[in-house]
Amino acid sequence: MSSSVEAITVLSSDGDEFKITVSAAKLSKPLNWMLEDVCFSDDCDEVPTIEVNSKTLVKVIEYCEKHAPRANSGASDSDAEELKKWDIEFMKMDVKDILFHILMAANYLHMEGLYDLACQTAADLMKGMTVSQIRKIFHIKNDFSSEEQEQLRRQHPGCSFD
Amino acid sequence: MLRTEVEVRDRISDLPDSLLLHILSFLPAKEAVATCLLSKRWRPLWPSLATLDLTRQDFRRLKFFQQFVDKMLKFVDLKSVKKCVLRLSYYEYFRPQKISRWINVMMSNKVEHLELHMMPGKGDFELPSSVFTANNIKVLKLSGATGVLWLISTVTVGTLSHVNLPLLEVLHLKDVKFPDVRSLGMLLSACALLKHLAITDLHGKFNCSLDIGRLNHLVTADVPQFVLPLKVFSNATFLRFHLHHWLLVKVTSDIPTFYNLTHLEFTYYSSDWNTTLKYLHSCPKLEIVVIREFFCSEMLESTTIDVPQCVSSSLKEFHLSGYQGKNGDFDLARFIMKNAMVLRIISIRRAFGSKATWKNRNLKRISTCPISLMNCKLLLG
């Protein structure tokens, strides 16, 4: 790869084109490997596809571009503080719609920071909730028979189904 | 219609086990276990938890907490547990044997991260020796607590006969009691790979100074001033010395050269110019200096002294608090402003209790000092 290339183009699973800077793409291990293997110059026709839908890819790229400067150079405490606030704002998203895709994308793209952040966000949605409230948030269907419920209730006396 | 179907799909349950377990690792153990009631998909997950966050406050009654911990340690697959956090309340009676047994079970496998936190109350807890012979442990955080009326609960280290923590990288000690200074030395000398050390409020008989070598992998240290010899920290890049609450033997030691140090914070009761300059001369790469309570009335003949290398070539930020406007303080600020060639920020905070007119008076005096670079920010407050 020539060092003059500053941004690369990738395709989402929906077939849309997206630009991502090289330094931001380095946050993902698979993308980093791609950078090393594939030719990304302007006259190269081949545009790699990332198996993430457009809506999610926009968010993932937004995250990478924000975090890349810090990951590449290291930063002061005040920057880290600012980045934390940004992460919280970034994760204020529609639960049903996109968090699931972000979780999958972070897993698939081996992005440790985003993976932890998304898992933490999912856990925060569950924290302090009852079992039935969690089911409602994530649309989880209770597929236990009444006998199984009875048995589980005996095994976990501290926990409640309601 | 199609849209509604998509919306109500249970997508989270489609995620792989590893991902669901990672989500559960951010929950207190009690809530992580309760997810087994969600559905058949979730039921078998909890025994493979990698994090056990066991907190007394999460349970209404002590009995429930104890039963829960016993059950967890019995049914969870200890081979998959990497991190254990135990937060206890000492207002209640915990049998020390019980806590020791829990810790021994946790340490019997490949736990890499152990935290033991006591809540304020009375009573001390002596750690079982298994904590100090843990081959796999990378992070160890032990904290006692100070409650109302200064009732202190400490985590106590017994007389150590053997310490083996070959992989330990992070060690935090707060309100920890040692039988003597030798035990503290033994612990630190056994952590050959230690990178991050934080100590607050040590207890015990520290009636002689400690002689241990340099911690070769140390990166950051946040430790009480004058308790350990300086050469222990000479490899660090970040060093913060804070004042110790309890009277200990003050260790006076030669100042070694801190070749990697970029950030230094310390607190003075009273000091002299010689010591300050010696520190600065010993840290050739220093970028940030924070000095608290610099009460110095001795004046400085700045024309006769060598400018330390870090001041002229690397110092970017200089923060002085507890400034009283005495001759020594003023000279220090002036010396830095005159000689620091790459300085970006100099901040000077007035001493606690000094009058409001202070700012105006000192602003005038400080702002007449020559600043070596035009793009240096001067903050007074």
Side-chain angles (χ1 to χ4, degrees), chain B residues 48-60:
Chain B
S48 308
L49 276 175
T51 300
L52 302 184
D53 178 348
L54 302 158
T55 301
R56 163 65 187 96
Q57 250 81 335
D58 291 340
F59 294 80
R60 224 161 13 96

Side-chain angles (χ1 to χ4, degrees), chain B residues 16-174:
Chain B
D17 280 12
S18 61
L19 221 161
L20 292 181
L21 280 164
H22 197 59
I23 294 174
L24 296 187
S25 73
F26 291 99
L27 289 174
K30 186 189 173 195
E31 295 187 33
V33 171
T35 59
C36 75
L37 308 179
L38 287 170
S39 71
K40 286 177 181 162
R41 171 76 184 91
W42 292 76
R43 185 178 174 176
L45 291 176
W46 72 268
S48 308
L49 276 175
T51 300
L52 302 184
D53 178 348
L54 302 158
T55 301
R56 163 65 187 96
Q57 250 81 335
D58 291 340
F59 294 80
R60 224 161 13 96
R61 289 174 58 187
L62 175 64
K63 197 177 90 183
F64 294 157
F65 174 65
Q66 293 187 337
Q67 283 171 350
F68 181 84
V69 179
D70 283 337
K71 202 171 78 178
M72 275 307 269
L73 294 177
K74 192 171 164 196
F75 291 110
V76 87
D77 177 9
L78 285 164
K79 283 198 282 301
S80 61
V81 177
K82 294 277 179 280
K83 176 176 173 181
C84 289
V85 182
L86 193 55
R87 289 189 187 85
L88 302 172
S89 157
Y90 239 94
Y91 283 125
E92 298 156 322
Y93 179 70
F94 271 99
R95 286 210 342 268
Q97 295 92 324
K98 193 168 192 74
I99 305 172
S100 291
R101 205 171 61 233
W102 288 343
I103 292 174
N104 285 336
V105 173
M106 290 169 181
M107 301 317 292
S108 66
N109 272 280
K110 302 198 166 173
V111 167
E112 292 172 3
H113 181 132
L114 178 73
E115 287 184 40
L116 175 65
H117 302 291
M118 312 258 287
M119 295 297 144
K122 50 188 171 186
D124 298 335
F125 168 68
E126 186 171 324
L127 287 162
S129 59
S130 61
V131 172
F132 301 105
T133 52
N135 284 327
N136 298 299
I137 203 146
K138 291 181 182 163
V139 179
L140 183 60
K141 297 183 181 180
L142 305 170
S143 76
T146 306
V148 285
L149 302 172
W150 293 90
L151 286 173
I152 293 159
S153 311
T154 65
V155 175
T156 305
V157 175
T159 309
L160 295 171
S161 57
H162 176 56
V163 185
N164 185 29
L165 299 165
L167 300 181
L168 195 73
E169 291 180 1
V170 179
L171 179 64
H172 288 193
L173 305 172
K174 181 186 168 291

Side-chain angles (χ1 to χ4, degrees), chain A residues 98-123:
Chain A
I98 200 161
L99 180 60
F100 163 82
H101 291 287
I102 296 273
L103 282 164
M104 287 298 277
N107 191 30
Y108 160 70
L109 293 169
H110 292 255
M111 292 171 54
E112 209 179 315
L114 184 60
Y115 183 66
D116 279 348
L117 180 64
C119 284
Q120 171 86 62
T121 307

Side-chain angles (χ1 to χ4, degrees), chain A residues 120-133:
Chain A
Q120 171 86 62
T121 307
D124 287 346
L125 288 168
M126 299 165 87
K127 214 171 259 177
M129 296 291 169
T130 64
V131 169
S132 58
Q133 281 169 325

